[in-house]
């Protein structure tokens, strides 16, 4: 893991807190998944079975996130010279796929089955199911409060939700609270009216909610996996620092890419002033790299390409200017 000892200690502390948060969510989801599944089978409730699938998906995703926390902090080696930081994004992508397939699709399926076949329920079973959902709401709420507390400890929403593992837990717990509320409403309306359409609607709503959350989490992970640029503020600090060096005539291009949660690769193509000999160029390059590392601690790898102004055309590329492409 790159960075100064203080930065590494801070990262390890944040990881330990995130691991505790994930373990709390995992324990809650495992217990709730069993209770929801038993209650759903006894009551024949599609909404409750949808919530059981939701909790199973969340439990599997927490296992993915624990793997991300353990594997992403491994040091760089010959096979992976830039480290394993992107493992965090990969496992978060798998978690998003799990939410979509196991949670969203199964919930929609349950809604379709309820509309097609109706529901043969015992309202005695429904009373037990409502009790299960009430306990689940308390457990999911407690897990969500734990995750939000950690977000605040790590600097608020903007800083805390940079961590894809913590962001996924917050999204899962938030949707779990909303999903349980929808299931409660659907079951209560079914009991009050005798119309299964209310529970089917709750299952569809839970499925749509999970698909939406999975899409947004997956899109974030995709952007980071394919090579998302460093934060614009950090890139601008680097550009200003380079432009302020007396030996640099112009900055032809500046590229950056996140290689982990708190590490980035920086590459700059610069045109030096005329008249510098090779030894002087080497001294300047070393000093500039140190200045960048001091100004932007997440810049774990820094590369300088000494060129001439004929390379200016690269400055117009989307990667150099910061423009975004694609859908």
């Amino acid at each position: 893991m790159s960075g100064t000892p203080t930065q590494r200690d801070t990262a390890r502390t944040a990881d330990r807190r995130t691991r505790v948060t994930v373990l709390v969510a995992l324990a809650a989801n495992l217990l709730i998944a069993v209770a929801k599944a038993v209650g759903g089978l006894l009551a024949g409730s599609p909404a409750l079975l949808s919530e059981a699938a939701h909790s199973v998906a969340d439990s599997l995703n927490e296992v993915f996130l624990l793997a991300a926390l353990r594997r992403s902090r491994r040091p760089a080696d010959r096979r992976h010279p830039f480290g394993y930081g992107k493992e965090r994004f990969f496992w978060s992508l798998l978690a998003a796929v799990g939410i979509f397939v196991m949670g969203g699709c199964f919930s929609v399926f349950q809604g379709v089955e309820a509309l097609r076949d109706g529901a043969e329920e015992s309202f005695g079973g429904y009373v037990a199911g409502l009790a299960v959902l009430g306990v689940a709401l308390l457990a999911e709420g407690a897990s969500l409060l734990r995750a939000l507390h950690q977000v605040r400890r790590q600097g608020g929403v903007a800083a805390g939700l940079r961590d894809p593992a913590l962001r996924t837990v917050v999204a899962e717990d938030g949707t779990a609270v909303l999903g349980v509320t929808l299931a409660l409403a659907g079951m209560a309306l079914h009991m009050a009216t005798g119309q299964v359409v209310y529970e089917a609607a709750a299952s569809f709503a839970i499925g749509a909610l999970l698909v939406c959350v999975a899409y947004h989490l997956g899109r974030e992970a995709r952007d980071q996996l394919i090579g998302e640029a460093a934060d614009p503020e950090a890139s601008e600090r680097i550009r200003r620092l380079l432009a302020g060096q007396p030996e640099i005539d112009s900055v032809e291009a500046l590229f950056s890419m996140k290689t982990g949660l708190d590490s980035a690769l920086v590459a700059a193509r610069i045109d030096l002033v005329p008249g510098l000999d090779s030894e002087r160029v080497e001294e300047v390059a070393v000093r500039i790299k140190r200045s960048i590392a001091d100004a932007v601690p997440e810049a774990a790898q820094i590369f300088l390409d000494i060129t001439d102004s004929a390379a200016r055309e690269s400055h117009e590329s989307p990667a150099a200017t910061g423009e975004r492409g694609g859908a």
Side-chain angles (χ1 to χ4, degrees), residues 21-318:
T21 298
V22 173
L23 287 171
V24 168
L26 175 59
N29 280 315
L30 284 173
L31 292 173
I32 292 169
V34 173
K36 287 177 180 176
V38 172
L41 291 172
L42 290 175
S45 166
L48 192 50
L49 288 173
S50 295
E51 271 301 296
H54 181 183
S55 294
V56 170
D58 286 352
S59 300
L60 181 61
N61 293 339
E62 260 97 53
V63 174
F64 288 156
L65 298 180
L66 289 173
L69 291 171
R70 182 177 63 85
R71 296 175 64 87
S72 65
R73 291 299 183 183
R74 290 182 295 171
D77 52 34
R78 292 182 63 184
R79 188 174 181 182
H80 297 90
F82 296 112
Y84 291 82
K86 286 195 175 186
E87 287 247 22
R88 215 160 182 126
F89 311 141
F90 168 74
W91 290 101
S92 296
L93 179 61
L94 289 187
V97 173
I99 293 173
F100 177 84
V101 176
M102 296 183 63
C105 293
F106 185 80
S107 295
V108 172
F109 170 77
Q110 282 297 120
V112 171
E113 286 292 296
L115 288 178
R116 189 179 67 179
D117 302 330
E120 298 178 3
E121 72 282 335
S122 164
F123 283 152
Y126 263 44
V127 171
L130 289 172
V132 168
L133 287 177
V135 173
L137 186 60
L138 293 176
E140 299 285 12
S143 180
L144 177 60
L145 289 175
R146 160 72 200 190
L148 292 176
H149 175 68
Q150 186 182 339
V151 169
R152 288 195 296 271
R153 290 185 68 179
Q154 292 187 197
V157 174
L161 295 186
R162 286 176 57 248
D163 185 344
L166 184 55
R167 183 170 63 239
T168 301
V169 171
V170 171
E172 286 180 349
D173 288 345
T175 55
V177 170
L178 185 53
V180 170
T181 303
L182 289 170
L184 280 168
M187 291 179 67
L189 287 171
H190 185 186
M191 290 180 66
T193 65
Q195 299 295 318
V196 74
V197 67
Y198 292 107
E199 263 199 273
S203 292
F204 285 132
I206 292 168
L209 176 66
L210 293 175
V211 167
C212 182
V213 169
Y215 169 75
H216 285 288
L217 290 175
R219 187 178 62 178
E220 290 279 349
R222 180 206 66 176
D223 289 345
Q224 293 166 324
L225 278 173
I226 64 178
E228 190 176 41
D231 295 334
E233 181 183 349
S235 296
E236 185 58 31
R237 287 205 308 271
I238 295 172
R239 188 177 289 278
R240 287 199 303 267
L241 188 151
L242 292 173
Q245 302 299 315
E247 298 86 357
I248 296 179
D249 192 29
S250 62
V251 180
E252 301 299 331
L254 177 62
F255 305 91
S256 66
M257 182 179 68
K258 292 181 180 178
T259 56
L261 178 61
D262 48 20
S263 62
L265 179 151
V266 175
R269 185 173 292 129
I270 58 176
D271 181 25
L272 297 179
V273 297
L276 297 179
D277 58 32
S278 58
E279 185 174 344
R280 178 63 175 155
V281 168
E282 183 178 352
E283 293 175 357
V284 168
V286 171
R287 192 191 73 236
I288 291 173
K289 288 181 179 181
R290 287 176 178 169
S291 299
I292 293 174
D294 291 339
V296 184
E298 62 265 35
Q301 294 89 20
I302 303 168
F303 301 91
L304 298 178
D305 179 21
I306 311 301
T307 185
D308 55 37
S309 57
R312 194 179 303 277
E313 60 184 21
S314 66
H315 184 63
E316 304 300 327
S317 70

Side-chain angles (χ1 to χ4, degrees), residues 9 11-21 69 146 150:
D9 291 342
R12 290 193 185 100
T13 300
D15 274 4
R16 283 195 296 270
R17 291 172 180 166
T18 301
R19 187 175 292 107
V20 171
T21 298
L69 291 171
R146 160 72 200 190
Q150 186 182 339

